[in-house]
Amino acid sequence: MDGLTIRETDGQGNNRTAGEASSLAIAFAQAGATAGQMAPAQYFRIVVELLKRGAGKLLVVGAGRDTRLYALANQGGTTVVLEHNAEWAKAVEGLACKVVPVTYTTRLEQGFVRPCPLPGGLPSWVLAKAWDVILVDGPEGYSPDSPGRQQSVLLAAKLAREGTTIFLHDCERPAEKLFAANYLKKPDEVYGEVRALAVFHYTAEDVAERDRRLKPVEGPGSKFKVPSSRSEEVGPKSKVQGPRTVVSGVSGEITGGPAGSGTPNGLLTRSVRATVRDLSAPLKVFVLGVPHTQTNRAFSTCPFTIKAWNQCRMLKRRGHEVIHIGVEGSDPECTENVAAISRGEWSALYDHPGTKFYTTKTDGPFAEYQKLYAARVRAAIDARVSQPWEAIVSCTWGDAQIGATRGLNQFVVESGIGYRHTWAKYRVFVSYAWMHFHYGKEGKHAGNGWYDVVIPNEIDPELFGWKDGRLEACPTKGDEFLFMGRLNDDKGVALAIDVAKRVGRRIAIVGQGDPARFLKGNPHARYLPPADVEGRRKLMAEAAAFFCPTHYVEPLGNVALEAQASGTPVICTDWGGFTETVLHGVTGFRCRTMEQFVWAAKNIERIDPAACRRWVLDNFSTERVGQMFEEYFQMLLDLAGDGWYAERPDRQQLDWLARRYPAGRG
């Protein structure tokens, strides 16, 4: 800090030294802390950078109370503020800065927008100027309807030159993490854990890498050199449109796929595409709903239905073209919603008004319906593809979906295998335990399962927890334990009731089936029928503990994740998917003897509800699992080009298998 001075006065004829400016930063932060301002160390870091530059070119995205500080630290230089809120723009008038009004078209609830435009209203001189420091602290990104910072982070990335320093505030938030991972280099420094500040110093190599990944800023006076295209797309570009519903009138029998072998095989390359796929282009994904339900939250007790519903939502929000095909009345978030089966055709066989129970039968009177579903789904897919191997077809079920995709020259994926019999070439298992179960069953000991992957079922944070899913204030935990699931012996219902009796606690039994034999002689247990979305939220959030004492090898155990997402610890058996979903001693207890179950029940208050929810949000949320599917689907599409050896020169991270653990693990 010694020797650094601000070149101009403060307006009253007094020179300010760097030390004084730093003191001002600290005092300013302390005074504004209650208003959500930055921490003193963060202001200090920004001020130091500005003082080092000495009257440099500073671009600030987002006006605020701290604009005065930045203008002071950059006296004698050029300070420009981009602001979309007229009130904030007016509030900083008169300071030593120029305010440029801009507009934003994105909304945080859209997820990652592709393609993403720059902020509207940018003058050409803003795009042409060589900025020394760029600070991204706007626009607001704290609610679903706020603009979010995708456009401003993209702008900062495109404006960076050799020697530019970019500051990104709130870099720990999921949205900012996503935007930074796609547009910026790896941060060189990070200050703080909550409302954190990331610092990015750009070298010539960083700029060159940026130019390989992003198109340059376009506009008069732009000093960017337009790089040559790295790849060439085959066929028309996917157009992302608003949701539309189509009721198909196609009928007929199931037919085979197009002639020819077609499917890319293992490590072999194919000539359908000669170059690496443009990773900035949206994926084209067909998500097939199950034939026995509508793809909506009313069937939240069917994991295969919710798999389709969630997959549509998470991929659409990541900017991809998502086409859902299923039963009329489905309402997933997607690009196009195709009703292959009418509501009347479905309800004549499967609908059970008033209970939302469902059957999965496929024989007898259901057989013709299954054939009709398969034929119409296939026709809908064929009408929406123009070449082989351009799309992913995500199957959440078997039976009719097998018929619909037989011989189809697209990448057909079983996207959530938690059952015993698999059928597709490309397989997604819900846990490593279940994948290894299948490998043993198949005698697959030699490996080579390069395109078998593990991606767990996703949990929508909005459906669990409290205060609209946010863990802000845990409701008062009741004294009652909770079991929720099918009322079968192998689910461990009797064991859960017995443990509760031994520790003198009440237990609620919720699920589909006859509870009479479990309740007999157990006055401490009560039965509730299957609950709707809000009912599940309340029961799970208020339970003292959640029991999953499954006797068989549970493929994953979705309900255990839902309980933890609700801030409720889990008591379960120590095998199957639970070994990957329940952190022993941190988010619950895994047990093998009655003594262990009883001890866990007596000591369940040792588990922190916040740790339970954080574990699920960080590792099993729709946002996190969406990233995993995106990586896997890209792997498959690479098979249509250079196959297993396809290169990704623009890769910035390999986080799709990373896990984050709450404090206290182990």
Side-chain angles (χ1 to χ4, degrees), residues 247 326-328 338-343 345-346 369 372-373 376:
V247 179
V327 176
E328 184 183 13
V338 182
I341 294 291
S342 72
R343 189 191 303 268
E345 291 169 322
W346 167 74
Y369 171 92
L372 186 63
Y373 168 93
R376 290 182 179 176

Side-chain angles (χ1 to χ4, degrees), residues 174 459-462 464-465 469-471 561 564-567 610-625 660:
I459 301 298
D460 187 346
E462 295 180 9
F464 303 96
R470 295 189 296 274
L471 190 65
L561 289 173
Q564 291 170 89
S566 305
C612 297
R613 182 164 170 82
R614 178 51 54 197
W615 163 244
V616 174
L617 265 59
D618 283 347
N619 298 283
F620 303 95
S621 66
T622 48
E623 178 184 345
R624 180 70 184 93
V625 174
R660 294 180 181 173

Side-chain angles (χ1 to χ4, degrees), residues 203-470:
T203 65
E205 291 77 14
D206 295 327
V207 173
E209 177 64 22
R210 183 276 317 279
D211 287 345
R212 285 192 291 268
R213 295 171 56 225
L214 301 175
K215 291 182 179 180
V217 172
E218 298 178 358
S222 173
K223 296 182 180 179
F224 278 101
K225 180 181 179 181
V226 180
S228 59
S229 176
R230 188 169 54 79
S231 61
E232 186 173 305
E233 289 204 28
V234 180
K237 284 189 176 181
S238 300
K239 259 190 174 178
V240 178
Q241 306 173 20
R244 59 187 186 276
T245 299
V246 180
V247 179
S248 171
V250 179
S251 61
E253 296 181 358
I254 301 172
T255 58
S261 59
T263 306
N265 184 17
L267 310 184
L268 299 180
T269 62
R270 294 184 56 82
S271 59
V272 177
R273 301 184 186 186
T275 56
V276 177
R277 182 180 182 274
D278 180 2
L279 299 184
S280 66
L283 303 174
K284 186 171 190 175
V285 182
F286 292 90
V287 178
L288 307 188
V290 298
H292 53 271
T293 70
Q294 297 165 315
T295 306
N296 58 45
R297 286 179 169 175
F299 288 94
S300 60
T301 55
C302 175
F304 306 99
T305 297
I306 296 305
K307 164 66 73 175
W309 198 92
N310 282 336
Q311 196 165 90
C312 287
R313 187 185 191 202
M314 60 192 180
L315 291 173
K316 176 64 168 62
R317 292 190 175 191
R318 294 186 70 84
H320 301 297
E321 181 182 10
V322 180
I323 302 166
H324 171 265
I325 307 176
V327 176
E328 184 183 13
S330 300
D331 62 357
E333 186 175 329
C334 57
T335 307
E336 182 180 8
N337 187 16
V338 182
I341 294 291
S342 72
R343 189 191 303 268
E345 291 169 322
W346 167 74
S347 62
L349 290 171
Y350 288 99
D351 191 18
H352 294 253
T355 67
K356 298 303 179 188
F357 286 6
Y358 57 90
T359 180
T360 60
K361 292 180 179 179
T362 60
D363 55 357
F366 300 93
E368 289 304 313
Y369 171 92
Q370 295 284 323
K371 288 182 180 180
L372 186 63
Y373 168 93
R376 290 182 179 176
V377 167
R378 178 55 170 268
I381 296 173
D382 287 343
R384 289 164 175 81
V385 293
S386 58
Q387 62 179 358
W389 318 119
E390 70 173 64
I392 302 292
V393 181
S394 177
C395 298
T396 57
W397 192 244
D399 296 319
Q401 292 185 0
I402 300 175
T405 57
R406 184 177 295 120
L408 180 65
N409 284 347
Q410 303 297 334
F411 294 99
V412 178
V413 179
E414 277 185 278
S415 59
I417 299 172
Y419 38 85
R420 293 190 177 187
H421 304 287
T422 70
W423 54 272
K425 179 173 183 178
Y426 303 110
R427 305 188 295 181
V428 177
F429 295 92
V430 295
S431 69
Y432 284 95
W434 200 242
M435 181 175 73
H436 296 152
F437 171 89
H438 274 271
Y439 280 8
K441 177 183 173 185
E442 297 163 3
K444 191 173 183 178
H445 306 300
N448 289 324
W450 300 106
Y451 292 93
D452 287 344
V453 299
V454 172
I455 301 178
N457 288 338
E458 61 288 327
I459 301 298
D460 187 346
E462 295 180 9
L463 298 184
F464 303 96
W466 44 94
K467 286 195 172 182
D468 299 324
R470 295 189 296 274

Side-chain angles (χ1 to χ4, degrees), residues 17 25 66 74 76 85 90 119 127 145-146 193 215 266 277 283 288-289 319 436 445 499 516 538 575 582 585 612:
T17 67
D66 40 20
N74 194 42
N85 184 297
K90 185 176 181 180
L127 302 177
D145 60 348
S146 61
E193 296 182 358
K215 291 182 179 180
R277 182 180 182 274
L283 303 174
L288 307 188
H436 296 152
H445 306 300
V499 173
K538 180 176 174 60
W575 48 74
V582 179
C612 297

